[in-house]
Amino acid sequence: MPDTAERALHTRIARSVDAIRRSFADNLFYVTGRTLENATRLDLYTALAFTIRDRMLARMVAAEEIYQRRGAKTVAYLSAEFLLGPHLANNMLNLKITDNVREAMKGLNLDLDAILEAEEEPGLGNGGLGRLAACYMDSLATLEIPATGYGIRYEYGIFEQAIRDGWQMEVADAWLRNGNPWELPRQHRYPVKFGGHVERYRDDEGRERVRWIAESTIYGIAYDTPILGYGVLNVNMLRLWKSEARESFDLRAFNVGDYYGAVNDMVAAQNISKVLYPNDEPEAGKALRLRQQHFFVSCSLQDMIRLTLRDNGGLEHFAERFVVQLNDTHPAIGIAEFMRLLVDEHRMEWDAAWALTRRSFAYTNHTLLPEALETWPVELFQRTLPRHLEIIYEINTRFLDDVRVRFIDEPARLARLSLIDEGAGNGGRRVRMANLACVGSMAINGVAALHTELLKSSVLRDFHELWPEKFHNKTNGVTPRRFIALANPPLARLFDESVGEGWLRDLGQLRALEPYAADGAFRERWRAIKRMAKARLADRIRRTCGVTLDPDTLFDVQVKRIHEYKRQHLNVLHVVSLYHRLRQSPAPDVTPRTFVFGGKAAPGYRMAKLIIKLINSVADVIERDRQVSQVLRVVFVPDFSVKTGQDIYPAADLSEQISTAGKEASGTGNMKFTMNGALTIGTLDGANVEIRSAVGEENFFLFGQTVPEVEATWRAGYRPRALYERDPDLRDAIDLINSGLFSHGDRDLFRPLTDNLLDVDPFLVCADFRDYIDCQGRVGVAYRDAEQWSRASILNVARCGYFSSDRAIQEYNADIWHATALPVTPGA
Ligand code: NBG
C-alpha cells in the first residue's frame, strides 16, 4: 500500500474538523474552480463529496489489497438494478464522521443539510428489488464479507415523476449531468458479442469445438463505486458496466470511408447501457433489454474469470473464489454465458463446466406474478444470442433426460420443467428464464416465508419435487443505517441513549426497548420524536406541493410502486367512503387523518396511472371542501424515491401493506415503516406475516382474505358486482367516483377502473373492502388512545430486529454462500 494511503488509514488526523475544512476548501478550489464567495450549492456538494471520497480511498485500496492477497471467496451479487439512494450522507455515517463534517461546515457558515439536498440520487432501480440489492451491499460490507455488486451503469435511471393536472408525467432522469464524484472509471473492458452465427471446427487435439461468429461486438467498461461498511474498514465494490463501441470511431470502417456507419455503430453500442427499463410492463418489443442482460452478465463473468485466473491459479477454482447470486431472472442468462465461456473460450469439457456452474450460481425469486416471470421468444434469442440458444437446448436435453429417468412417462411434467415453453396457443416458443435459473443453480430462494412456501407449491413446484434440498427461504431485510440512522436521527439518538450504540450493527439489541413501553415519560419522548418527523414532512410537503398538513392528525401512509396488486385503489375507496360519511352527517366519529400516497407507475401501465389521477382528484376535491378538510386530508407526494422515502417513513403513524394475499413476495417498505414506529394495517401477505408474529398480533391491524380464502373465492365463482349491490358503503364509494364529482363532471374518466372492479376485480378489492373499512375504523379508535398507541409503536420497534438486512445476509452466507468474513485491519 502506498505510504499516504497507509497513513490515512491509520491516523485520525484526516477526520479532524480542521482537516475536513482544509480539504473541503482545497476541493472546492481544485475540483470545481470556485471559492466560497462564488460557489453554488452544487459546487459545495461536489467539494464535500470529494472530501469524503478522499477519506474512503485509503480503505478501498487496503481492502482490495487484502482480498486479492487472500484470493478471498467473494459474493458476486448480479443485479440489473441497484437503487442506492444519495451517497454523501450515507458515506459520512459509515465513516462516523458526520458530526465533524457538520462542525467544519458550520465554521464556514455553511449548512450541511442544505448541501446534502443538492445530491442527485442514482435511481438505478424500479423499487424493492433494486433497493434490496443496495441494502445487501451495505450489509455485506458492514459484515466484512468480500462482495462485488455487478450491474449496469444506466445513463438514465428510473424516470422522474412529475404530476400535472393530477396525471403522472415522466421526465428523463439525467442523473449524470452534473458528474458523479462517487464512481471511479477503470481500465477493465471486455468484449460482448451479439447476433451472427455459430460454426463448428476441430481444435489441435481433434476435438469438435464451437466458434461464435458474431455480427457485432461491443465493449463493457467498468465503473467502480466503493461501498463502505458501517464502522469497519472494509470497502466492497459496486462495479457497473457502461457500453461502448470498440473505439470511439471504428477505424476500419472509417478507413473504407463509411464514416456515418462508424458513427451509427458507436451510437448503437452506447444504447445498450442507455436507460433502465421500468418494470410492470409487458415484455413485448424489449429486445434491447435482453441485450442489456447479456451485456452486463457477460462483462461480470469475464471479470470474475480474470480474477480467478489471477489469484487462484485455474478456473477449476472458480467456485472457491466466487459465488454468483442471481437477483431474479434478469441475470439468469449468465448460466448459459458461463457455460459458453468455459466450454468455447476456455476449452473446458461440458460435464466439468456444468458441474462448476451448478456449484457457483444461486437464484433468488422475487415474484409470483406470472406476467413478471421472464420468458424470451426463441426467435429473438436465435437472432441475438445464437450460441446461447444452442447451449440452452443442450442443457435442456440433458436435464430432461435425467427427469425422464425419475418420472417415467410423465410428459406433462416434462413440458412444465422444460427450459422451453413450446408455446401451444400463446404465439411461439419461448425460453423460460426461471427454469434456466433453477436448473443451473445450487440454491433457490424466496424472499419471505409465505412466498417461499408458495413458490414450492405453485410456480416452482416441479422443481421443488425434483430438488427439495435446493430450496431456502431468505426473508428480506433492510439496512438500519439508512432507514433509521440517516432517515431518523432523533430516533437513533434515543436508541443510543436507551440501549447503547450497539443496535446499529445488531438490530436485535432494540429488544431492550421493550420495558420502556411501560414508561410514561419515555412514551412522551417517543411521541415528541414522531411529532417532529411529521412536522418535518409537513414542512417539506408545504414547500414542494403547496399543501399544508396538520402534524397532529393520524398520518396514514402508502408509498411504493403503483400497482393494482398493491391496491392503492382499496385505500382510495376508504378515503372516498370517509368523505361520503363526512358529507352526510356533520360530526361523525371520524379520527382526523392525513393520507399520504407516493409511488411511480410504469409509463405504459394505464390502470396504475389512472389510480394516480384518482388519488390526486380526490385530494383536490377534499382540499377545496373547507369542512371536510378539517378532518381529512390527502396528498400525493411526487417522485417517490429513496431520498423522499427517508423523509416519509419516520413520519408515518400507520403503514399501509394491503396487497391481495399471495401477491406481494415480501415487501421491504413494510419493514422500514415498522423500524420507524408505524403500526401496520395489512393482509397476511409477504413479510407482513412475519412482521405480525414478531411484533405481536395485538400490535398489528390485520384484515382481509388469506391465501386459501383467496383461492376459495376464485373457485366459488367470484362476483364483485354482487358485493357492490349488497354493501351500501362500497356502493356509495364507487357511485361517488362515477358521479363525476372528482372529475369535473366527467362520469367516464374513472370508468375503466370502476368497471374493472365490478366486472373482474382481479385483485379482490371488493372482496376485502368491508373488512378493510372495519379494520380502519378500529385504527381510528385505537389512535385516540395515545398512550396505548405509543406502547404498541414502541413494541413494534423493539421487536423489528429480525428485519435488518444484516440478519438476511448472515443467513444467505451461512446457508448458501459460505464466504468467510475478512476484516480489513490496519497493518493486516
Ligand atoms: C419485488 C417484490 C417485493 C419484494 C422485492 C424484493 C420484483 C420483481 N419483486 O415484494 O414485488 O420485496 O422484490 O425482494 O420487483
Side-chain angles (χ1 to χ4, degrees):
M1 204 189 312
D3 224 30
T4 41
E6 186 88 18
R7 242 183 308 128
L9 192 65
H10 288 255
T11 63
R12 309 189 66 81
I13 298 168
R15 308 165 63 86
S16 72
V17 174
D18 236 26
I20 292 168
R21 196 168 24 220
R22 256 180 287 124
S23 171
F24 174 78
D26 278 355
N27 279 318
L28 187 61
F29 188 74
Y30 291 111
V31 176
T32 72
R34 295 288 169 99
T35 63
L36 276 178
E37 284 65 46
N38 65 0
T40 65
R41 226 168 52 149
L42 182 66
D43 296 324
L44 298 173
Y45 161 74
T46 304
L48 186 55
F50 274 94
T51 304
I52 296 305
R53 188 179 103 161
D54 292 344
R55 281 150 181 76
M56 296 162 61
L57 292 183
R59 295 173 180 219
M60 186 191 81
V61 171
E64 261 181 351
E65 203 263 333
I66 291 172
Y67 290 180
Q68 171 173 351
R69 187 144 41 84
R70 302 279 183 88
K73 183 166 184 179
T74 300
V75 177
Y77 199 84
L78 261 60
S79 179
E81 303 187 9
F82 287 92
L83 193 48
L84 297 167
H87 289 281
L88 178 53
N90 195 243
N91 286 333
M92 294 190 318
L93 173 78
N94 283 7
L95 287 169
K96 296 190 170 180
I97 203 176
T98 313
D99 290 342
N100 285 5
V101 174
R102 191 176 292 280
E103 213 181 307
M105 294 302 105
K106 210 154 119 208
L108 298 169
N109 241 330
L110 295 171
D111 174 18
L112 176 60
D113 296 314
I115 296 177
L116 293 175
E117 274 301 307
E119 179 166 358
E120 180 115 36
E121 96 173 58
L124 308 186
N126 277 283
L129 177 145
R131 182 55 231 177
L132 186 77
C135 283
Y136 283 1
M137 290 306 294
D138 179 87
S139 285
L140 280 160
T142 299
L143 293 168
E144 306 178 307
I145 298 171
T148 303
Y150 281 110
I152 300 175
R153 182 180 176 276
Y154 300 105
E155 194 177 328
Y156 294 90
I158 189 70
F159 63 87
E160 283 169 24
Q161 178 193 56
I163 302 295
R164 297 256 185 290
D165 189 28
W167 295 98
Q168 167 177 299
M169 310 289 280
E170 297 92 25
V171 182
D173 168 50
W175 70 289
L176 289 168
R177 92 193 112 193
N178 298 319
N180 175 9
W182 306 105
E183 67 182 9
L184 302 153
R186 296 300 195 197
Q187 284 78 52
H188 312 297
R189 57 204 320 264
Y190 299 100
V192 181
K193 299 194 275 188
F194 291 101
H197 65 278
V198 168
E199 283 177 4
R200 269 148 235 286
Y201 69 100
R202 298 223 168 256
D203 67 12
D204 321 336
E205 288 149 45
R207 263 181 297 218
E208 189 181 271
R209 297 274 170 201
V210 175
R211 191 160 35 217
W212 175 15
I213 312 294
E215 181 187 310
S216 62
T217 302
I218 63 166
Y219 282 81
I221 315 225
Y223 283 74
D224 285 351
T225 303
I227 306 287
L228 295 173
Y230 172 74
V232 296
L233 294 179
N234 286 58
V235 176
N236 284 332
M237 216 53 91
L238 176 62
R239 179 160 283 181
L240 302 180
W241 302 102
K242 174 180 195 276
S243 61
E244 280 201 354
R246 183 186 307 258
E247 313 285 348
S248 320
F249 288 94
D250 187 323
L251 291 175
R252 232 171 357 100
F254 197 38
N255 287 338
V256 296
D258 186 10
Y259 178 79
Y260 292 104
V263 172
N264 281 341
D265 285 354
M266 184 177 76
V267 171
Q270 287 172 351
N271 274 345
I272 302 269
S273 60
K274 187 66 78 182
V275 59
L276 166 74
Y277 277 104
N279 54 13
D280 307 327
E281 281 188 38
E283 220 54 71
K286 291 199 185 150
L288 189 59
R289 191 176 168 121
L290 176 62
R291 287 173 172 258
Q292 286 187 333
Q293 296 181 349
H294 177 244
F295 162 71
F296 96 87
V297 167
S298 176
C299 291
S300 310
L301 288 169
Q302 292 183 67
D303 198 44
M304 288 178 239
I305 287 174
R306 172 183 67 85
L307 292 168
T308 306
L309 293 175
R310 187 191 72 183
D311 303 335
N312 305 71
L315 267 185
E316 64 281 10
H317 298 295
F318 184 89
E320 296 143 46
R321 180 64 159 89
F322 285 103
V323 52
V324 184
Q325 186 66 42
L326 303 174
N327 197 27
D328 219 287
T329 53
H330 316 143
I333 183 63
I335 286 167
E337 171 66 355
F338 193 53
M339 285 299 288
R340 188 191 70 78
L341 288 166
L342 294 181
V343 173
D344 293 358
E345 309 223 335
H346 293 272
R347 305 198 162 192
M348 201 182 271
E349 291 306 317
W350 180 280
D351 288 334
W354 185 235
L356 189 56
T357 302
R358 287 179 111 183
R359 272 194 291 133
S360 306
F361 285 77
Y363 159 53
T364 304
N365 172 289
H366 291 269
T367 182
L368 294 157
L369 297 187
E371 66 271 25
L373 284 179
E374 277 189 306
T375 63
W376 294 104
V378 163
E379 164 272 323
L380 174 66
F381 236 92
Q382 174 71 54
R383 250 191 299 131
T384 315
L385 301 168
R387 176 57 180 148
H388 296 76
L389 186 61
E390 274 189 3
I391 289 171
I392 288 169
Y393 283 154
E394 180 69 27
I395 294 172
N396 201 31
T397 306
R398 290 166 182 248
F399 166 57
L400 293 181
D401 282 348
D402 286 349
V403 176
R404 256 183 225 104
V405 176
R406 279 190 56 184
F407 298 96
I408 298 157
D409 209 17
E410 287 196 49
R413 182 189 297 271
L414 249 63
R416 292 194 304 266
L417 284 167
S418 174
L419 305 191
I420 306 296
D421 175 353
E422 294 299 332
N426 64 6
R429 305 168 69 228
R430 302 179 75 93
V431 182
R432 293 165 166 157
M433 301 310 276
N435 293 33
L436 176 62
C438 286
V439 173
S441 295
M442 55 162 162
I444 301 165
N445 77 281
V447 290
L450 174 68
H451 171 234
T452 300
E453 288 312 306
L454 292 172
L455 277 181
K456 291 190 209 167
S457 61
S458 63
V459 282
L460 300 182
R461 179 183 177 155
D462 294 298
F463 289 101
H464 182 247
E465 284 174 13
L466 205 53
W467 302 307
E469 70 287 354
K470 273 198 196 182
F471 281 75
H472 300 258
N473 175 58
K474 294 286 161 274
T475 299
N476 285 166
V478 302
T479 172
R481 267 79 61 186
R482 186 175 287 277
F483 291 106
I484 302 177
L486 275 190
N488 203 343
L491 191 64
R493 271 194 296 278
L494 180 65
F495 294 168
D496 288 347
E497 283 170 35
S498 321
V499 304
E501 293 185 7
W503 62 273
L504 199 46
R505 298 200 57 189
D506 174 12
L507 203 61
Q509 291 185 21
L510 289 184
R511 179 74 56 174
L513 285 172
E514 272 195 35
Y516 288 101
D519 176 342
F522 187 87
R523 288 199 302 270
E524 210 172 306
R525 281 185 73 188
W526 192 263
R527 281 194 295 277
I529 288 171
K530 180 62 78 180
R531 177 71 171 61
M532 257 156 55
K534 290 162 77 172
R536 231 179 21 236
L537 178 64
D539 192 47
R540 173 161 302 250
I541 288 176
R542 190 177 40 72
R543 276 184 283 126
T544 53
C545 316
V547 185
T548 309
L549 304 179
D550 176 0
D552 290 318
T553 60
L554 190 173
F555 274 27
D556 178 333
V557 186
Q558 187 171 23
V559 287
K560 50 182 77 234
R561 285 178 295 133
I562 310 290
H563 199 294
E564 288 165 276
Y565 87 76
K566 295 177 185 283
R567 300 200 293 192
Q568 281 91 355
H569 43 352
L570 177 58
N571 190 345
V572 184
L573 284 178
H574 173 234
V575 178
V576 172
S577 185
L578 282 179
Y579 175 74
H580 183 70
R581 260 162 52 205
L582 286 165
R583 300 293 316 165
Q584 295 288 301
S585 47
D589 218 9
V590 172
T591 302
R593 286 204 205 210
T594 300
F595 292 87
V596 178
F597 289 86
K600 296 176 186 177
Y605 187 172
R606 295 182 54 188
M607 194 65 92
K609 292 179 122 174
L610 192 56
I611 291 173
I612 292 179
K613 173 67 177 168
L614 177 61
I615 296 168
N616 283 306
S617 306
V618 171
D620 271 0
V621 168
I622 293 179
E623 200 57 37
R624 273 183 269 119
D625 188 320
R626 304 257 317 258
Q627 202 184 333
V628 173
S629 60
Q630 302 293 311
V631 189
L632 250 190
R633 303 296 289 282
V634 181
V635 60
F636 187 94
V637 180
D639 202 38
F640 180 61
S641 60
V642 178
K643 192 172 178 176
T644 48
Q646 286 176 209
D647 292 323
I648 294 174
Y649 297 118
D653 294 306
L654 186 68
S655 152
E656 297 268 353
Q657 306 302 333
I658 59 178
S659 52
T660 320
K663 297 297 179 191
E664 189 70 272
S666 164
T668 43
N670 46 7
M671 301 169 186
K672 297 164 197 168
F673 280 112
T674 301
M675 286 180 186
N676 283 282
L679 306 197
T680 303
I681 181 166
T683 48
L684 280 182
D685 198 17
N688 294 354
V689 179
E690 290 154 86
I691 291 177
R692 177 167 173 263
S693 52
V695 305
E697 295 174 8
E698 64 288 1
N699 302 311
F700 186 107
F701 295 97
L702 179 70
F703 78 97
Q705 297 196 353
T706 60
V707 171
E709 286 164 357
V710 166
E711 285 163 4
T713 299
W714 288 118
R715 267 199 310 274
Y718 177 49
R719 283 190 49 238
R721 200 174 286 274
L723 295 170
Y724 163 86
E725 276 150 17
R726 222 180 308 139
D727 186 333
D729 288 336
L730 178 58
R731 202 168 51 232
D732 287 343
I734 289 189
D735 288 353
L736 202 56
I737 292 172
N738 284 335
S739 73
L741 175 71
F742 302 116
S743 40
H744 305 288
D746 180 350
R747 291 160 171 268
D748 294 327
L749 182 63
F750 297 115
R751 275 280 174 192
L753 203 159
T754 51
D755 283 353
N756 184 263
L757 288 183
L758 296 181
D759 296 336
V760 204
D761 195 11
F763 298 101
L764 300 185
V765 170
C766 297
D768 276 344
F769 175 83
R770 187 71 263 154
D771 203 11
Y772 180 60
I773 299 294
D774 293 346
C775 189
Q776 283 285 22
R778 293 195 296 280
V779 169
V781 172
Y783 190 71
R784 279 180 245 163
D785 182 346
E787 296 299 338
Q788 185 49 36
W789 186 278
S790 306
R791 253 181 233 118
S793 166
I794 293 167
L795 291 177
N796 262 264
V797 173
R799 298 168 180 174
C800 75
Y802 182 78
F803 303 101
S804 164
S805 44
D806 297 342
R807 185 273 315 155
I809 288 299
Q810 269 154 342
E811 283 185 18
Y812 274 98
N813 199 40
D815 301 338
I816 300 174
W817 300 334
H818 311 298
T820 309
L822 185 54
V824 174
T825 49

